[in-house]
Amino acid sequence: MAGKLYHNLIGGEWMASKSGQTLQNINPADRSDIVGIFPASNAEDVALAVAAAKKAFATWRLVPAPKRAEILYKTGQLLAERKEQFAREMTREMGKVLAETRGDVQEAIDEAYYVAGEGRRLFGVTVPSELANKFAMSVRMPVGVIGMIAPWNFPMAIPSWKLFPALVAGNTCVIKPAEDTPLSTYNLVQTLIDAGLPPGVVNIVSGYGPEAGAPLVEHPDVRAISFTGSSAVGSHVAQRAAANFKPVSLEMGGKNAMIVMDDANLELALEGALWGAFGTTGQRCTATSRILLHESIAATFTQRLVARAEALSVGNGLDDGIEVGPQVNEQQIETSTRYCEIAVAEGAKLLTGGKRLIDGPYAKGTFFAPTVFGSVTPAMRIAREEVFGPVVSLIEFSTFEEAIEIANSIDYGLSTALYTKDINRAFTAIRDLEAGITYINAPTIGAEVHLPFGGVKQTGNGHREGLGALDFYTTWKSVYIDSSNTLQRAQIDNAE
Ligand code: UN1
């Protein structure tokens, strides 16, 4: 099927890239299906979009926050009406199964309602002054033009985590969607416009990282950058932005561990493992990619997990009964294949999967078999490096302390899970696991929008989405109002 032609959105106008270059949005379940043709933008397009956002900032920043919030609330309502259509389009461009793309749109709806409430809060802090007849408070100000670079795995939810808090705070935005999944960002932004967002407040520049992402990061009028993607690209973004001291919010990789203790409800842990490891075809930064098994339950758990992994139905996410969709593109298939080879070479035991699926209907797309590796040791690369595919490693341990140590032994720190009935161990794990998120008796995926989302170590640089996002999208201004009609010198006139 030939794809529809889409344009950039700049200053409220839909326009082709100045170079005329385009990219194809391809259905990963059927690579002959072209979802759309999108601009492959470059620095020239980015400059126009930033200029439009800068112009719009002059007026948007003055719209009262509760009014800005009403547009977001309306956006949530419209998204709810459009949920099924947007979910279907998302499965077609990204591959994950319909139940999950409905969840992705729902996450944007949740974010809209959550952030809409912030329009009547945006709390500042009022404190007493140390001087008489002096009033002291601090208020949140918008930052200005924000550049956003979004990933393909949550093509509507993650752009909403970035756009909505930025907008409620009075910023204007230029967003570069992932080149694999621009349509969902278009659907999101079109919905914002239909809800009443003025022209130029959000601008879309689609394209590839080096040509469109890099100029956005470097543009002097872009005051802050929010990036979600790999740690390798995140490091690049941070270094480029550092040249002019631009704040950067980075949300990057994970190698998330689920610990299963000897007293765990094994059926529950199995369900969690399957969902955590193979949901979204393993393509979540929160995916369960290491399962740490207590030695006393390891054999049973492994046998049951492998059987259940083999029984998962892999296929086109739009078809009924499919549990695991394709990987997003050829490059991801190559990464999964390469890591399977590395794991075998390191001495891990391939228990199931380990290969691309190519027969019958699979020939048309980028499918990879749900894969389980046993006999994995914590030092192996397959236990340390992010695969971002349906590949999970099983590691055995003897004591709870050892499990925590293994869980913490990697460079990432996003999500963790512990399955146990022991409340004391649960609290110890909550305290000691080095990660931004810890689940007890639930898998490593499933974060809700109104809690902080992000991680430690190479997962992030200290910022959070969800609760905490406003700290990134606002800048503090401290305000002192002196009503004494005299010069009062702080630290001097009130000293003893
Ligand atoms: C991601 O993997 O990039 O917690 C985000 C979750 C989802 C968000 C994942 N709500 O798994």
Side-chain angles (χ1 to χ4, degrees):
M1 217 191 293
K4 190 177 151 189
L5 187 64
Y6 291 85
H7 292 323
N8 284 330
L9 176 64
I10 296 176
E13 306 282 330
W14 297 100
M15 56 176 87
S17 65
K18 288 288 155 196
S19 69
Q21 298 287 309
T22 56
L23 58 83
Q24 288 187 332
N25 181 356
I26 295 169
N27 178 348
D30 175 1
R31 298 187 57 78
S32 65
D33 176 24
I34 309 300
V35 178
I37 310 288
F38 288 81
S41 311
N42 62 24
E44 209 184 335
D45 305 305
V46 168
L48 289 172
V50 173
K54 190 177 176 185
K55 182 163 173 253
F57 181 65
T59 46
W60 180 246
R61 73 186 185 91
L62 301 178
V63 174
K67 289 283 162 211
R68 296 192 294 246
E70 279 171 24
I71 296 173
L72 296 177
Y73 193 85
K74 178 80 183 154
T75 300
Q77 290 176 314
L78 291 176
L79 286 172
E81 284 171 20
R82 300 171 185 183
K83 182 172 170 179
E84 188 61 20
Q85 180 206 334
F86 286 174
R88 286 183 178 273
E89 291 184 355
M90 193 190 297
T91 295
R92 187 171 161 221
E93 73 168 347
M94 187 274 170
K96 62 185 175 184
V97 300
L98 205 45
E100 291 192 39
T101 50
R102 287 182 185 129
D104 195 310
V105 179
Q106 186 58 48
E107 204 160 328
I109 297 168
D110 296 344
E111 179 76 15
Y113 291 152
Y114 167 52
V115 174
E118 287 304 323
R120 285 187 183 269
R121 285 188 289 266
L122 278 176
F123 291 139
V125 185
T126 305
V127 293
S129 167
E130 66 190 38
L131 294 157
N133 296 314
K134 198 168 176 189
F135 188 85
M137 64 182 172
S138 45
V139 293
R140 290 179 183 271
M141 307 295 281
V143 175
V145 178
I146 313 282
M148 300 172 173
I149 300 176
W152 46 261
N153 66 338
F154 276 81
M156 188 173 285
I158 292 181
S160 81
W161 296 356
K162 299 185 188 307
L163 288 169
F164 295 173
L167 291 174
V168 84
N171 302 285
T172 56
C173 312
V174 177
I175 184 164
K176 188 197 92 58
E179 58 267 26
D180 286 297
T181 59
L183 180 55
S184 295
T185 295
Y186 276 65
N187 285 338
L188 181 69
V189 174
Q190 182 64 56
T191 307
L192 278 161
I193 293 167
D194 295 343
L197 195 77
V201 174
V202 172
N203 303 272
I204 309 176
V205 180
S206 87
Y208 298 103
E211 291 79 25
L216 185 58
V217 171
E218 285 170 4
H219 198 294
D221 287 337
V222 172
R223 291 286 176 83
I225 294 288
S226 177
F227 168 86
T228 299
S230 69
S231 298
V233 176
S235 165
H236 214 64
V237 168
Q239 288 179 51
R240 289 192 176 207
N244 43 12
F245 314 108
K246 199 174 286 187
V248 183
S249 168
L250 301 172
E251 205 279 289
M252 303 174 289
K255 191 73 193 176
N256 312 294
M258 167 192 289
I259 301 172
V260 186
M261 292 304 299
D262 46 354
D263 67 343
N265 175 338
L266 277 201
E267 180 54 30
L268 187 70
L270 266 167
E271 298 257 347
L274 284 163
W275 175 231
F278 303 123
T280 326
T281 321
Q283 302 171 124
R284 291 196 194 208
C285 52
T286 51
T288 305
S289 53
R290 298 182 292 156
I291 305 179
L292 279 45
L293 298 169
H294 189 271
E295 59 190 5
S296 69
I297 49 94
T300 324
F301 189 94
T302 301
Q303 194 190 20
R304 289 171 66 182
L305 180 70
V306 170
R308 298 276 287 269
E310 285 175 349
L312 289 169
S313 51
V314 180
N316 186 331
L318 286 173
D319 294 343
D320 282 346
I322 296 298
E323 294 165 292
V324 180
Q327 289 214 254
V328 76
N329 58 28
E330 291 286 345
Q331 200 187 325
Q332 293 306 124
I333 291 279
E334 277 166 32
T335 307
S336 296
T337 308
R338 192 174 74 247
Y339 270 102
C340 287
E341 288 163 7
I342 291 169
V344 169
E346 286 176 315
K349 200 164 155 210
L350 179 64
L351 300 176
T352 187
K355 57 179 190 311
R356 180 177 190 160
L357 298 169
I358 48 172
D359 294 335
Y362 296 134
K364 294 197 282 183
T366 40
F367 294 94
F368 202 86
T371 300
V372 182
F373 278 103
S375 307
V376 175
T377 61
M380 290 179 182
R381 285 181 65 190
I382 195 66
R384 312 187 70 76
E385 296 174 21
E386 185 173 51
V387 180
F388 226 67
V391 179
V392 69
S393 297
L394 309 183
I395 304 173
E396 271 188 50
F397 66 87
S398 315
T399 64
F400 174 70
E401 291 70 26
E402 189 191 348
I404 299 282
E405 200 180 306
I406 296 170
N408 289 343
S409 68
I410 47 149
D411 292 330
Y412 295 111
L414 182 54
S415 188
T416 44
L418 171 70
Y419 280 79
T420 185
K421 295 195 187 102
D422 183 333
I423 187 80
N424 295 350
R425 283 205 169 125
F427 274 93
T428 305
I430 291 165
R431 187 192 63 197
D432 291 348
L433 284 169
E434 293 171 1
I437 308 171
T438 294
Y439 291 90
I440 304 297
N441 293 325
T444 57
I445 68 177
E448 300 173 28
V449 299
H450 55 301
L451 277 80
F453 184 91
V456 298
K457 299 199 269 188
Q458 289 192 17
T459 294
N461 61 342
H463 298 287
R464 290 292 182 268
E465 302 199 279
L467 178 65
L470 288 174
D471 293 333
F472 185 72
Y473 294 114
T474 57
T475 181
W476 285 112
K477 174 169 284 188
S478 297
V479 182
Y480 302 93
I481 303 153
D482 195 319
S483 54
S484 69
N485 224 14
T486 54
L487 172 67
Q488 300 197 83
R489 298 172 303 172
Q491 294 94 38
I492 296 170
D493 291 334
N494 59 334
E496 282 184 42

